[in-house]
Amino acid sequence: MTITEVSEKFDVSQDTLRYYERIGLLPRVNRNKSRIRDYTEEDCKWVEFIKCMRSAGLPIEVLIEYIGLFQQGDETIEARKELFIEQRKQIIKRMEDMRKTLERLDYKIASYEQAIIEKEKALKRPED
C-alpha cells in the first residue's frame, strides 16, 4: 500500500506516518523501484497498534520504549507486560477523572435547564 492509501485507511496524516517512521515507531518501510513507500500488511498492523495506543493517551516515549523492547525479543516479554500494566493504571485513573468531570458537567447542565424552566415560568402571564 502507498502512504496515501495507509493514511486514508487509518485516518492518519502522511506527515504523521513519516514522523512515526523517522522516530522508530514504525519499522523502516520498504520502498518500491520508484522509491515510493510500500506498506506491507505487517506495517499496517503497526500503524493500527500505534493509532490505538495513541488514542488511548499513551505517550510516544512509552511506545518508543515498547518498540525497543519488542525488537530485543522474547527476553523482554515481562518488561513489555509491566509497561502495559502501568499504562493501563494510568488510563483507569484518567477515566475516573473524566467520569468525575462528566458528572460535574451533567450537574451544571441540569442547573442551567432548571434556571431556564424557572425563567420561562416567570414569563408566562397569569391566566385571566
Side-chain angles (χ1 to χ4, degrees), residues 3-82:
I3 194 168
T4 301
E5 293 168 329
V6 173
S7 172
E8 290 172 359
K9 179 177 181 174
F10 295 103
D11 194 28
V12 175
S13 76
Q14 293 179 31
D15 286 339
T16 298
L17 291 169
R18 288 185 200 97
Y19 172 70
Y20 287 167
E21 186 179 351
R22 189 173 63 251
I23 65 172
L25 278 184
L26 281 174
R28 181 68 71 205
V29 176
N30 292 325
R31 297 182 184 245
N32 64 20
K33 291 179 183 177
S34 302
R35 303 297 301 147
I36 295 172
R37 285 176 174 85
D38 185 18
Y39 287 80
T40 64
E41 187 176 323
E42 187 68 22
D43 296 329
C44 289
K45 288 178 184 178
W46 278 108
V47 171
E48 183 178 34
F49 170 77
I50 293 164
K51 183 176 179 187
C52 175
M53 295 296 115
R54 291 292 294 144
S55 69
L58 271 71
I60 284 180
E61 296 78 18
V62 169
L63 292 173
I64 290 172
E65 181 181 356
Y66 172 79
I67 300 295
L69 290 168
F70 179 84
Q71 291 172 338
Q72 291 175 39
D74 287 350
E75 65 271 8
T76 67
I77 288 174
E78 190 62 32
R80 287 183 268 161
K81 177 184 162 191
E82 290 302 318

